[in-house]
Amino acid sequence: MLGERALANVTFYPFWLDRPDAPAPNARLVGNTEADLLIVGGGSTGLWAAILAKEADPSQNVVLIEAENIASGASGRPGAIVSTSVMHGLHNAIRIFPKDIATLEALGQTNIAGFLATLDRYGIDCDAEWNGELTVAVGKESTPVLRQEYELHKQHGHEVMLLDADETRRQLNSPLFEGGLWAKKNSGTLHPAKLAWGLKRAALSLGVRIHEYTPLGELADEGGTVVASTRDGRIRAGKVLLATSAFAAGHPHIKKRVAMVRDRILMTQPLTDEQMDRIGWKNRQGVYDTRTQLNYMRLTRDNRILFGGRLGYFFGGPRDPRLDRTPAPYTRLAEAFFRTFPQLDDVGFTHAWSGPIDLTTRMAVHLQTYHGGKVVYAGGYSGFGVSASRFGADMGLAKLMGSNRPELDCDFASTMPGTIPPEPFRYLGARLTMYALDTADAKGGWRNLWLKFVGKLGFPLS
Ligand SMILES: Cc1cc2nc3c(=O)[nH]c(=O)nc-3n(C[C@H](O)[C@H](O)[C@H](O)COP(=O)(O)OP(=O)(O)OC[C@H]3O[C@@H](n4cnc5c(N)ncnc54)[C@H](O)[C@@H]3O)c2cc1C
C-alpha cells in the first residue's frame, strides 16, 4: 500500500535524462559517406571509443551513429555507482580470470586514472562525488561474505574498512544492514547523462562526426572495407566498432552470448534536511547489498535517493523502454525501499524507469570479432559499465586496429563467455530464474536444482 501511494505521481522516464538542458540531437545521416572508423552506438562505450580514437590519431576520420539519441540506452539510465574494477568487481574478476588478476587490477587503476584525466581535460562536470562504495550485508548470515571480501580486497592492496552493524548503520541507517565493507578509493557516484553529454561535446570538439536517429541496418563486407546501411544513407568504413551493448546490433551472432535483461530504478523527491538526518549517509557512498537479487542506492546532488534492483526479462529483448511501465514491479521495488528505510514513510517517488543490461555468463566485457577483424563488438558489462565502458572501448579499438598490446593476450580479450540458449528457452529460463531468485527465502526443492543448473551455464548464482 505504502509502495503504491509513494508511486502515485511518478513519471516513467529516467530522472537523469529529464532535464531542460539536454542537448539537441545531431542530424541523422542522409546520403553516402566514408570513414576510417565507424562506431555504432552512442552510449558510453561508443563515446569513449570516439574520443580515444581521435586522441590516438587526430587525422582519423571517425563517424559515430546512434539509433536514437545519445545515452538513450543503458548509459542514460544507470545507478551510476562508479567502480575501479573493469571486471564487475574483484570477486568476479577472480572467479572468471584468476591467472590474470594482477593485470586486471592494474588495468582497472589505469582506466580510472584515464577516466578522471578526461573529465579534467574537457571540463566535464558530471556531479562526481568520490566517496567510495559501501557493500552492506542484509541479514546476519551475509556478514561472513563481507569478511571474506574484506580479506580479498586487503590481499590485493585495496583501501577498505570492515564495519560492524552499528558502524554500518551510522553510515546509512537501515534496520536491514548487519555489516558493511567500505572501499574508499577511486569510486563513488556521478550523473550519467551529464557524463555522456560531456563526452559527446568532447568527441565533437575533436572532430568526430555524430549522427543521431541513424540506426544501423546491415553491414556488408566488401573485401577491404565494410559498408554500413542506415535508413537514409550508407557509410563505407575501414573498421567498425560495434558499441551496441545489450541491443547486440551489428551481427546476428552477438546475441548468442549476450542477453538483454532489464533492471529497474526509482528516484525519490529531494529529501529535506530533517529526512536526511533520519538516515545519516553523511559520507554519501554508493551502496550495494550482498544479495544475488540485490538492491543498490545512492544520493543525487540535490539529496534524492536513487534505489534500484528489480530485474525483468521481455521476450526477444525488445528495444522500446516504454514496454516496461507496468506498475507491479515498481511497486515491489518501492516496498523494498520502505523495508530498507522504514523511517522514510513520508517520502514519495518522482521518476521510475528501467534500462537494458547486456548480461553474459562472465558478467564482464568481452570482444567479438567479425568480417576478418574489420568489425569488433565490445560489450557485456552486465550492469557494471559506467567506468568499465572506457576500458571496453579501449580494448575494442586495440583489437580492431590489430595492436600488439599485451592486454589482448589476457583471457578476457582472447576467449569468449558461454553461449546462452536462444528464444524461447531464453525467455523461459530467465523467467524461471527470476522467480527462483525472488522467492529465495523459500528456496528449496526445484528452486535449488534450477539455480544450480543456471550456475552450470556460468552465471554466478549462489
Ligand atoms: C538500470 C541500470 C543500472 C545500472 N547501474 C550501474 C551502476 O550503478 N554502475 C555501473 O558501473 N554500471 C551500471 N549500469 C551499467 C552501465 O550503465 C552500462 O554498462 C553502460 O552504460 C554500457 O554502455 P554502452 O555504451 O556499452 O551501452 P548503451 O548505453 O546501451 O549504448 C548502446 C547504444 O547502441 C545503440 N544502438 C543499438 N542498436 C543500434 C543500431 N542498430 N544502430 C545504431 N545504434 C544502435 C543504442 O540505442 C544505445 O544508445 C547500469 C545499467 C542499467 C540498465
Side-chain angles (χ1 to χ4, degrees):
M1 285 310 266
L2 189 53
E4 268 174 41
R5 186 156 47 79
L7 285 166
N9 295 316
V10 89
T11 301
F12 281 101
Y13 191 67
F15 168 78
W16 306 123
L17 300 173
D18 188 9
R19 290 180 65 91
D21 59 351
N26 280 41
R28 70 185 204 283
L29 176 72
V30 179
N32 297 345
T33 189
E34 294 191 349
D36 299 315
L37 171 66
L38 170 65
I39 297 167
V40 184
S44 39
T45 302
L47 292 164
W48 278 112
I51 292 170
L52 290 167
K54 271 295 207 184
E55 285 183 340
D57 178 1
S59 70
Q60 268 192 97
N61 177 358
V62 180
V63 173
L64 184 153
I65 58 171
E66 160 56 45
E68 295 195 356
N69 50 8
I70 294 295
S72 57
S75 300
R77 297 166 179 271
I81 300 171
V82 190
S83 172
T84 325
S85 173
V86 287
M87 288 288 143
H88 210 130
L90 179 58
H91 188 94
N92 192 55
I94 293 172
R95 176 183 80 91
I96 49 180
F97 303 121
K99 87 173 168 50
D100 293 335
I101 191 64
T103 310
L104 292 171
E105 284 281 286
L107 288 170
Q109 296 296 341
T110 312
N111 183 56
I112 203 80
F115 186 101
L116 295 171
T118 308
L119 299 189
D120 263 6
R121 193 154 55 248
Y122 297 99
I124 299 174
D125 173 12
C126 54
D127 299 357
E129 298 189 47
W130 302 108
N131 297 317
E133 293 167 281
L134 179 66
T135 311
V136 291
V138 171
K140 284 200 166 53
E141 63 286 359
S142 304
T143 54
V145 178
L146 279 192
R147 176 156 285 283
Q148 285 163 16
E149 285 285 311
Y150 172 73
E151 303 295 345
L152 205 61
H153 280 75
K154 280 297 218 196
Q155 268 169 34
H156 287 86
H158 289 250
E159 201 181 299
V160 278
M161 280 171 70
L162 189 62
L163 311 179
D164 65 16
D166 286 346
E167 284 162 353
T168 307
R169 289 176 196 165
R170 268 197 293 278
Q171 292 299 323
L172 179 55
N173 189 11
S174 165
L176 300 186
F177 300 166
E178 297 290 347
L181 181 71
W182 184 5
K184 288 193 150 177
K185 205 137 180 247
N186 284 344
S187 54
T189 58
L190 52 71
H191 189 303
K194 283 190 176 182
L195 171 67
W197 296 334
L199 293 175
K200 174 184 174 184
R201 267 195 314 277
L204 290 170
S205 75
L206 291 167
V208 176
R209 284 183 288 152
I210 296 180
H211 294 287
E212 294 173 67
Y213 294 98
T214 303
L216 170 72
E218 291 202 333
L219 280 179
D221 189 343
E222 298 205 345
T225 55
V226 179
V227 175
S229 311
T230 66
R231 245 190 320 246
D232 303 306
R234 278 153 50 101
I235 305 144
R236 181 177 293 281
K239 304 275 182 188
V240 180
L241 183 75
L242 298 174
T244 51
S245 187
F247 303 93
H251 198 283
H253 285 175
I254 298 171
K255 273 204 167 96
K256 286 185 178 174
R257 297 171 200 278
V258 181
M260 183 194 283
V261 295
R262 297 197 76 84
D263 196 24
R264 299 167 177 116
I265 286 183
L266 294 175
M267 187 68 94
T268 69
Q269 62 202 69
L271 267 58
T272 62
D273 291 348
E274 188 275 320
Q275 286 166 332
M276 283 295 289
D277 285 343
R278 294 184 216 158
I279 52 166
W281 218 346
K282 295 269 188 288
N283 287 312
R284 308 177 64 86
Q285 305 95 331
V287 179
Y288 295 101
D289 74 41
T290 43
R291 294 170 298 180
T292 309
Q293 175 77 291
L294 85 165
N295 288 124
Y296 47 91
M297 56 213 85
R298 55 159 292 182
L299 291 167
T300 59
R301 188 170 263 183
D302 62 350
N303 287 341
R304 296 163 187 266
I305 298 179
L306 175 148
F307 192 82
R310 174 123 220 114
L311 295 173
Y313 186 83
F314 295 83
F315 190 91
R319 66 162 297 131
D320 189 348
R322 283 170 303 187
L323 288 173
D324 195 15
R325 290 180 179 178
T326 22
Y330 296 99
T331 306
R332 293 189 69 177
L333 186 56
E335 283 159 3
F337 174 89
F338 290 116
R339 274 195 301 279
T340 310
F341 301 119
Q343 69 275 45
L344 293 183
D345 58 357
D346 53 347
V347 167
F349 299 102
T350 58
H351 293 77
W353 70 93
S354 73
I357 302 252
D358 46 357
L359 186 71
T360 67
T361 58
R362 296 209 300 222
M363 308 283 291
V365 66
H366 73 290
L367 309 173
Q368 298 188 24
T369 304
Y370 296 104
H371 299 296
K374 294 192 289 295
V375 178
V376 168
Y377 166 88
Y381 310 97
S382 304
F384 206 89
V386 171
S387 54
S389 53
R390 180 186 177 280
F391 173 74
D394 189 24
M395 292 297 107
L397 286 177
K399 185 94 170 175
L400 200 53
M401 301 307 165
S403 149
N404 56 6
R405 280 171 59 178
E407 301 96 289
L408 293 179
D409 295 331
C410 290
D411 285 348
F412 82 84
S414 56
T415 65
M416 289 288 166
T419 51
I420 307 172
E423 302 292 12
F425 307 107
R426 190 174 287 203
Y427 174 80
L428 292 170
R431 296 304 291 240
L432 265 177
T433 305
M434 280 166 197
Y435 180 73
L437 286 173
D438 235 13
T439 53
D441 292 343
K443 218 191 302 184
W446 70 269
R447 289 182 186 80
N448 273 344
L449 287 175
W450 177 257
L451 290 177
K452 263 193 193 137
F453 169 70
V454 178
K456 284 226 163 10
L457 290 178
F459 294 104
L461 303 178
S462 56

